[in-house]
């Protein structure tokens, strides 16, 4: 089995074209059963172990000196992916392949991917926001992979996506079921995480392009 075929065993390759087309047409994509259930289970188990070892950190908002903890805005705890496990390496290999496909189709010049595990405890949410700001958009395409097995209809924790031109117009509401994958243009699509009733797990990631601010390369995160 070739290197490429090994990657394809972990995702639904037929969804790549609809993903690219959706990014072009409307700036966002959401697809169920995009990633292999077994890989999602391995990643979910790893996040559970990190939580048990108290290796998750409360997520902040803002960058650099402006970073603050605001539980009234954002309630998740995170752990940055570091390639330490086989499951992480498999997922990051898939994202590297997706990065290449997006670059071929959209000429975005994406050059790296950063991601972290995220867990929202019951009652947590993340108020409406953009992942990047126009004019300093080092994060170009955002991604979310959900890891929650057997998520019930009334579990809450959906991601609400809003129209690029009308931030009050909701265009999609995505259930955080294991294997569901969402990606969108980071500086154009406002979105929020609605309050969750159950512990909600995911991997949030960003395809980045190098951005120079005042002669300095934009920091990694």
């Amino acid at each position: 089995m070739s290197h490429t075929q090994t990657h394809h065993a972990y995702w639904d390759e037929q969804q790549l074209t609809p993903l690219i087309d959706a990014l072009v047409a409307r700036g966002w994509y959401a697809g169920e059963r995009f990633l292999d259930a077994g890989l999602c289970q391995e990643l979910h188990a790893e996040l559970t172990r990190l939580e048990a070892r108290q290796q998750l950190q409360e997520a902040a908002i803002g960058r650099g000196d402006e970073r603050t903890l605001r539980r009234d805005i954002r309630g998740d705890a995170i752990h940055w992916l570091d390639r330490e496990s086989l499951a992480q390496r498999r997922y990051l290999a898939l994202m590297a392949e997706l990065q290449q496909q997006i670059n071929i189709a959209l000429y975005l010049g994406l050059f790296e991917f950063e991601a972290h595990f995220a867990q929202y405890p019951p009652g947590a949410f993340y108020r409406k926001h953009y992942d990047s700001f126009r004019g300093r958009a080092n994060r170009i395409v955002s991604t979310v992979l959900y890891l929650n097995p057997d998520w019930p209809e009334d579990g809450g924790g959906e991601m609400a996506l809003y129209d690029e031109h009308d931030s009050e117009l909701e265009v999609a509401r995505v259930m955080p079921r294991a294997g569901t994958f969402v990606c969108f243009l980071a500086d154009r699509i406002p979105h929020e995480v609605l309050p969750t009733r159950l512990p909600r797990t995911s991997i949030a990631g960003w395809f980045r392009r190098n951005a120079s601010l005042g002669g300095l390369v934009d920091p990694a995160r």
Side-chain angles (χ1 to χ4, degrees):
M1 180 178 289
S2 72
H3 183 66
T4 303
Q5 287 173 322
T6 301
H7 289 183
H8 291 172
Y10 294 107
W11 66 4
D12 181 359
E13 189 183 2
Q14 293 185 352
Q15 292 198 51
L16 287 178
T17 298
L19 184 157
I20 298 292
D21 290 347
L23 280 182
V24 172
R26 63 192 184 195
W28 61 272
Y29 164 86
E32 296 183 348
R33 293 183 291 278
F34 185 82
L35 224 72
D36 174 71
L39 180 55
C40 290
Q41 289 171 4
E42 291 176 34
L43 291 165
H44 183 266
E46 182 171 354
L47 177 50
T48 301
R49 289 193 296 271
L50 289 167
E51 182 191 21
R53 297 172 188 157
Q54 298 183 321
Q55 291 181 293
L56 302 181
Q57 297 178 324
E58 285 188 297
I61 62 169
R63 297 170 70 95
D65 294 339
E66 299 175 359
R67 290 178 65 82
T68 57
L69 291 173
R70 287 287 303 273
R71 311 312 281 172
D72 59 323
I73 296 176
R74 178 180 188 178
D76 57 324
I78 66 170
H79 182 90
W80 289 94
L81 268 60
D82 52 18
R83 307 187 71 88
E84 284 194 358
S85 70
L86 179 58
Q88 281 192 39
R89 292 192 292 274
R90 284 173 173 163
Y91 182 64
L92 292 170
L94 293 175
M95 292 301 99
E97 192 166 333
L98 179 58
Q99 174 179 312
Q100 183 180 34
Q101 295 296 328
I102 292 175
N103 277 340
I104 290 171
L106 303 182
Y107 305 103
L108 288 181
L110 308 178
F111 86 107
E112 72 173 359
F113 181 72
E114 60 179 2
H116 61 60
F117 288 111
Q119 182 174 68
Y120 287 75
F125 52 85
Y126 194 160
R127 296 202 185 280
K128 189 188 300 182
H129 63 285
Y130 293 91
D131 280 355
S132 193
F133 295 100
R134 297 195 187 197
R136 46 180 301 175
N138 63 310
R139 288 177 169 177
I140 306 300
V141 177
S142 300
T143 67
V144 182
L145 171 68
Y146 294 109
L147 305 175
N148 312 288
D150 305 317
W151 192 260
E153 290 290 335
D154 63 350
E158 301 97 336
M159 175 187 282
L161 300 169
Y162 294 88
D163 185 78
E164 175 181 357
H165 306 292
D166 181 357
S167 62
E168 298 303 312
L169 177 61
E170 183 178 319
V171 294
R173 187 169 290 198
V174 183
M175 294 285 289
R177 296 190 180 99
T180 294
F181 184 77
V182 182
C183 65
F184 51 90
L185 299 177
D187 66 341
R188 298 186 187 180
I189 305 298
H191 56 286
E192 68 178 318
V193 176
L194 302 176
T196 185
R197 191 173 64 80
L198 302 169
R200 175 191 186 276
T201 57
S202 63
I203 295 177
W206 299 271
F207 291 111
R208 295 165 43 85
R209 185 166 60 206
N210 210 1
S212 178
L213 301 174
L216 298 174
V217 175
D218 194 41
R221 50 180 173 266

